[in-house]
């Protein structure tokens, strides 16, 4: 065979492999509204930047007729590319090839690109669309999953790991996405569950469809397993590009600073514009966030889950920050099991990748009730305390209104290592609200009074004057500044500039014991 023949042979082989499971399989994928693996990579990566690896890898299984099957790329596409001119490592499972099932060679390709992401210190993007373990390969498939899980864990906190669920993801396959930093799902396309509807029906007799059991909305609203919800695949790809714009390639580098940015178009003004006069009334904290950060820069994470707390990325003066804010619009902004988990995980991610933390506080405390107590609010609430205390990035806190009891401590108070604590004049920092405090402290005076209600109101006002303000905390040094709301952005710009050289050595230990 001469040189020309060899080249033509190569082109013929490559052409067959690039078609994946063939035209018929690709057409079936399109009919159910799904892109194929190569189309997905073309959209998510910058044009003409994909560098594929291991196209010619083949399986070596011989049981159950596998020796007769040729599986293009063994059902997964791996390689490298760029997103907004920044390098990333990628893999995309190809459902048109044996349902994207994972065998030993398939897993080996993923492991190889994961190792390369670690070696080069670049983000890893995984597109999951697989029927699960390849049954014909038995324990080799399970071994493959274990190798992937191990590397997910080793890469955690070193490079950002992003998972897209763009098809079925069942059994052991769900644990790799769960070990990554962010999970993206698409309505009517994504499914995640340990045991599918048929198994559930056969074992416990319960009937439920795949969408209700583990669809995109279920994991975005109920379980919190998904971080970003999209209506279409293209929307999910755009979300990923936005997310990556906030992140450094690895933990040893600083997050990228935007060269161009604008101040908020609706900045914070006086008290009557910022907060309701009645402290019992709710408001949308996202309006406050947008009034502080750079215009159109707020990018919310887990927007549909645990709505009583808001987390997300933003920029202030072009610099990325992680925002954690109580949301009075839902459950009065109380802390509960889900809110604590949501915030703690986000805080730990930001700390891993050098992203300063901005905390906006307005919470009456922890949600009371037997449901929360029996769901382990003590343990889950401790995660939030641990995450803030462990974080070594610059931490800035703004107490806007209520900061009561243990929730005051938990929302990045000075006592958990906040570098700057700012309070607005209407801030209330106390053990509890004035009504509850007056009923306890002055119980005897109220019950023995000739006019109990009048006495109670007087005692409420007395407590308000003494504690429902930021001045007592400021007099103790627990609050660094009391400022007008419209000065908040300027104060945070100054604080971020001061905090950029922060360095705090940690204790020499293996690791702490997070209250999981």
């Amino acid at each position: 065979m001469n040189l020309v023949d060899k080249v033509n042979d190569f082109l013929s082989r490559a052409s067959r492999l690039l078609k994946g499971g063939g035209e018929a399989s690709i057409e079936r994928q399109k009919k159910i509204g799904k892109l194929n693996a190569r189309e997905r990579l073309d959209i998510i990566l910058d044009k003409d930047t994909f560098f594929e690896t291991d196209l010619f890898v083949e399986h070596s299984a011989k049981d159950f007729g596998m020796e007769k099957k040729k599986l293009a790329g063994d059902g997964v596409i791996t390689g490298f590319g760029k997103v907004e001119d920044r390098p990333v490592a990628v893999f995309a499972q190809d459902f048109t090839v044996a349902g994207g099932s994972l065998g030993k060679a398939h897993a080996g390709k993923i492991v190889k690109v994961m190792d390369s992401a670690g070696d080069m210190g670049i983000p890893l993007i995984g597109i999951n669309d697989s029927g699960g373990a390849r049954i014909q390969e038995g324990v080799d498939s399970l071994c493959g999953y274990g190798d992937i899980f191990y590397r997910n864990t080793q890469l955690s906190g070193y490079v950002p790991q992003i998972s897209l669920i763009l098809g079925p993801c069942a059994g052991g396959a769900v644990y790799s996405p769960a070990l990554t930093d962010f999970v993206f799902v698409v309505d009517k396309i994504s499914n995640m569950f340990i045991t599918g509807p048929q198994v559930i029906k056969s074992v416990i007799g319960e009937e439920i469809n795949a969408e209700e059991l583990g669809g995109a909305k279920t994991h975005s609203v109920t379980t919190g397993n998904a971080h970003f919800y999209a209506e279409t695949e293209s929307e999910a790809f755009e979300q990923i590009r936005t997310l990556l714009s906030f992140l450094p390639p690895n933990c040893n580098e600083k997050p990228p600073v935007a060269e161009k940015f604008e101040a908020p178009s609706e900045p914070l003004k006086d008290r009557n514009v910022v907060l309701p006069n009645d402290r019992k009334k709710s408001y949308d904290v996202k309006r406050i966030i947008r009034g502080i950060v750079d215009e159109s820069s707020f990018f919310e994470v887990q927007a549909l889950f645990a709505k009583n707390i808001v987390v997300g990325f933003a920029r202030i003066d072009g610099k990325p920050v992680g925002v954690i804010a109580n949301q009075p619009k839902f459950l009065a902004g109380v802390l509960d099991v889900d809110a604590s988990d949501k915030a703690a995980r986000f805080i730990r991610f930001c700390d891993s990748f050098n992203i300063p933390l901005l905390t906006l506080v307005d919470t009456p405390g922890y949600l009371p009730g037997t449901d929360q107590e029996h769901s382990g609010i003590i343990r889950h609430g401790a995660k939030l305390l641990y995450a803030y205390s462990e974080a070594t990035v610059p931490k800035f806190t703004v107490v806007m209104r209520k900061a009561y009891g243990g929730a005051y401590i938990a929302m990045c108070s000075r006592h958990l290592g906040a570098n700057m604590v700012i309070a607005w004049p209407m801030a209330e920092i106390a053990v509890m609200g004035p009504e509850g405090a007056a009923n306890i402290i002055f119980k005897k005076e109220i019950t023995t009074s000739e006019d109990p209600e009048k006495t109670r109101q007087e005692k409420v006002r007395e407590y308000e004057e003494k504690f429902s303000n930021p001045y007592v905390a400021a007099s103790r040094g627990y609050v660094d500044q009391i400022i007008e709301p419209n000065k908040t952005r300027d104060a945070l710009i100054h604080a971020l500039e001061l905090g950029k050289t922060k360095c705090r050595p940690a204790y020499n230990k293996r690791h702490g014991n997070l209250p999981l």
Side-chain angles (χ1 to χ4, degrees), residues 44 46 82-86 238 241 245:
I44 198 170
D46 296 349
K82 289 186 177 181
V83 175
E84 300 297 336
D85 206 35
R86 300 170 65 206
E238 191 58 37
R241 297 176 80 88
S245 72

Side-chain angles (χ1 to χ4, degrees), residues 56-63 65-75 97-98 103-106 109 134 136-137:
F56 293 93
V57 164
E58 297 182 2
H59 71 83
S60 56
K62 294 182 172 34
D63 297 317
M66 286 296 292
E67 71 279 2
K68 301 175 184 177
K69 293 185 179 181
K70 294 286 186 180
L71 304 179
D74 207 46
V97 179
K104 185 176 181 180
H106 179 124
K109 290 178 66 173
R134 190 174 297 158
Q136 297 94 325
E137 294 196 30

Side-chain angles (χ1 to χ4, degrees), residues 80 86-90 117 121-125 159-162 244 247-250:
F80 306 90
R86 300 170 65 206
V88 296
V90 293
I122 58 176
L124 173 71
I125 301 172
V159 297
Q161 298 181 80
I162 294 169
L244 286 171
L247 309 183
N250 59 68

Side-chain angles (χ1 to χ4, degrees), residues 425-445:
M426 62 286 292
E428 303 173 17
I429 302 173
V431 174
M432 63 176 64
E435 290 84 0
N439 289 338
I440 294 172
I441 297 172
F442 305 110
K443 180 179 179 180
K444 185 175 181 181
E445 290 93 324

